[in-house]
Amino acid sequence: MKVVIIGGVAGGATAAARLRRLNEQAEITVFERSGYISYANCGLPYYIGGVIEDPAALTLQTPESFFARFRVNMRVRHEVTALHPERKTVSVRNLETGEEFEEPYDKLLLSPGAKPTQPRLPGVGLEKLFTLRTVEDTFRIKDYIDAHHPKSAVLAGGGFIGLELAENLRELGMEVTIVQRPKQLMNPFDPDMAAFLHAEVRSHGVQLALGQTVESFEERDGGVDVLLKDRAPLHADMVVLAIGVTPDTALAKEAGLELGIKGSILVNDRMETDLPDIYAVGDAVQVKHAVTGQDVLLSLAGPANKQGRIAADNILGGDSRYLGSQGSSVLKVFGLTAAVTGVNETNARKAGLDPDAVVLSPMSHAGYYPSGKLMTMKVVFEKGTYRLLGAQIVGYEGVDKRIDVLATAIHAGLTAIQLKDLDLAYAPPYSSAKDPVNMAGFMIENLAKGVVRQFRLEDVEALPRDGSVTLLDARTPQEYAGGHIEDFRNVPVDELRDRLDEIEPGKPVYVICQSGLRSYIACRILAGHGYETYNFSGGFRFYDAVTHDRRLIESATACGMDGK
């Protein structure tokens, strides 16, 4: 059997290695138009910033090492220019010699990946305008910085690449501005959770121009002007476009393969296209979201690797299935770790689901053990069924392991309430006896059983201020004096039983504290005395962070630049 693979990196290289492990006799050829067949795509910004010093460290395999171990014919600097499904060949051009030839196949695997989205705007293509997707892109940016020592950069886009690059350019001492049309960074997060990311990048001197539309680019004074709609232009020594990626599927389209979202390749759960003996994997394919069941594009290395393995199994007569993409990811943002899995609350609503969420601020490990740090968790579930839909965590230590537990719970079909039953490892340096994941389960169980009712940040503004309800802040007087929500009166939880005569009977009581724990206890005290109570989800710390961020964004939208 002869297998031809178009494209290396995660999907193609994984498939090639799996094919060889399963079949020693198969003839396997990979055509890769770049000079690199397997590289650490996610590490590229860290080479630019000097965190990764050796460029060879980015290359996971070379054509020579891959051939030595797997006897796979890796043809780099070879571009496939056409597919011919009717005669089972592909047209190939050697980019170094110009030679053109046709290569036959028995099975064909497409792993072309995705290319940086290039907006059709005046000025795209300027010498000081860069994209970052490949090793070659990385070297181009690194060489430019080393040669010209730019002092400032504008990054168009605030996703994974934009944030990682912002951090690394700041570490080089550059002034950095992120501009994008959405009013938040990192769309996999809900806007309230993104507020913590905004605060972190601002604290490290990154300017945010959120809710701004880029209209064109112009060279001026040795740099680039980024022209914005109805705003003064941003000027920088260099600009990097990081507004997302688009499936690189021109070959598939010309060959008549069925296409989906943004021209992506349609495949079934065996990674088969609609044409016989042609498979496709990676960033170029449309997949099902594992939670919503909707068609999505998810450009992540983990799914691409799994798809490459599945395609290889099936090429050799197996029956492996891809169960869908859950979107689990983790990101370093200066000192923070931010992670997400499943679907956020915003996208759950767009998908027609009826979501609810709990927000909590647990410590990374036992509070009495030194150096514990707060994390903010948002766990999203479906009302009524309590099906676990997704989670977002922003914090420091322990974020990655909690998101992985939650990702596993979603995959296993656990309900949000069943999180309380998970038997998770505990020792004071690593966790608490009640792990943050268990705590989320306890909170959701309390909601399900009616032990507590909650109100959310979006409910605060609509709360009556006419005396028909009681608004109560259960923190200490010192905490209250440091900032509170208007019209919330202060009665510390430890004084509440002795001051019940100050809480008018017959009126609903809405209670807040710093994190949600003391206000929950206050709600239980009041409920024990016949009051109807509601606990604020997330606490004042969460409320203050999100509302402060919203004020900054609205101010920036009005004047064109982020405030501090």
Side-chain angles (χ1 to χ4, degrees), residues 31-42:
F31 292 113
E32 168 60 49
R33 66 185 165 201
S34 78
Y36 302 87
I37 54 99
S38 183
Y39 57 86
N41 198 303
C42 300

Side-chain angles (χ1 to χ4, degrees), residues 245 247 261-265 283-287 295-299:
V245 294
I261 301 170
K262 293 185 179 179
S264 58
I265 302 170
D283 295 353
V285 303
Q286 175 180 297
V287 296
D295 295 328
V296 293
L297 295 175
L298 283 174
S299 298

Side-chain angles (χ1 to χ4, degrees), residues 325-344:
S325 294
Q326 202 168 297
S328 301
S329 56
V330 63
L331 175 71
K332 178 181 180 294
V333 185
F334 291 98
L336 279 181
T337 299
V340 63
T341 188
V343 63
N344 64 29

